[in-house]
Amino acid sequence: MKKDPIVGIIMGSDSDLPVMKAAADLLKDFDIPFELTVVSAHRTPERMIRYASEARARGLKVIIAGAGGAAHLPGMVASVTSLPVIGVPVKSSNSIDGWDSVLSILQMPNGIPVATVALNASKNAAILAASMIGSFDEVVGNKLIAFKKEMEAEVIGKADKIKAQGWQNFFDKE
């Protein structure tokens, strides 16, 4: 039996999917049920308002919203929901190196906060969502602890390899 989603992953366009896929992959790895769809702030404003205003009632706990260019989606969603919204600025082909997206999501007015991750960093958005959910769900919290311990072990392994081989030889194939 499939669980109801507790995280919503939305994006302004299907062209954002390659970036947003990392969030979906991580949530799947953590067994956090999610939904993923396209919701455009500009092309489907009524759909966006409906999605955001009904999200809590449908059982969502957090929304990850990715958008490029003007990147109004995360802020507009945050304006009509009481759920935490995590904005993922997406570097689109018509953007100014992605800075337009970053600043649009980052510079929200007081009262309408959006947690903002780095450009194209949907994986970090999923980790932040898992942290939020893990604050009240012990299973998810423990998975996040294990994930961070794996990252630590990976870094220590690389440090040991550099120490053993010397930094000059680190990239040589064994």
Side-chain angles (χ1 to χ4, degrees), residues 6-8 26-27 30 32 60-65 82-87 113-117 124-141 144 148:
I6 59 172
V7 176
L26 189 120
L27 293 175
F30 277 34
I32 298 173
L60 295 184
K61 305 297 183 203
V62 61
I63 298 171
I64 299 171
S82 60
L83 295 176
V85 176
I86 304 168
V114 173
T116 309
V117 296
N124 272 354
I127 293 167
L128 184 55
S131 296
M132 292 173 179
I133 293 163
S135 70
F136 61 85
D137 183 320
E138 190 172 344
V139 172
V140 172
L144 190 57
K148 290 187 176 192

Side-chain angles (χ1 to χ4, degrees), residues 146-167:
F147 174 79
K148 290 187 176 192
K149 286 183 187 270
E150 287 174 23
M151 286 192 307
E152 178 186 23
E154 184 179 331
V155 170
I156 290 170
K158 289 177 182 179
D160 290 345
K161 186 176 177 184
I162 290 172
K163 184 177 181 181
Q165 293 178 216
W167 67 268

Side-chain angles (χ1 to χ4, degrees), residues 13-125:
S13 169
D14 62 342
S15 65
D16 300 329
L17 187 54
V19 169
M20 300 306 289
K21 180 183 180 304
D25 289 342
L26 189 120
L27 293 175
K28 185 177 175 190
D29 289 347
F30 277 34
D31 296 318
I32 298 173
F34 66 92
E35 62 187 23
L36 186 149
T37 191
V38 175
V39 178
S40 173
H42 301 112
R43 293 181 294 264
T44 61
E46 291 173 4
R47 173 177 163 77
M48 181 213 55
I49 291 169
R50 190 171 48 254
Y51 183 92
S53 63
E54 295 174 357
R56 178 182 290 279
R58 291 188 307 103
L60 295 184
K61 305 297 183 203
V62 61
I63 298 171
I64 299 171
H72 292 140
L73 181 64
M76 290 302 297
V77 166
S79 76
V80 293
T81 187
S82 60
L83 295 176
V85 176
I86 304 168
V88 179
V90 175
K91 184 178 179 182
S92 57
S93 61
N94 61 349
S95 73
I96 310 164
D97 251 358
W99 279 107
D100 47 349
S101 304
V102 171
L103 294 174
S104 179
I105 297 171
L106 187 64
Q107 291 295 102
M108 292 301 300
N110 286 330
I112 311 295
V114 173
T116 309
V117 296
L119 189 64
N120 289 351
S122 72
K123 183 175 183 179
N124 272 354

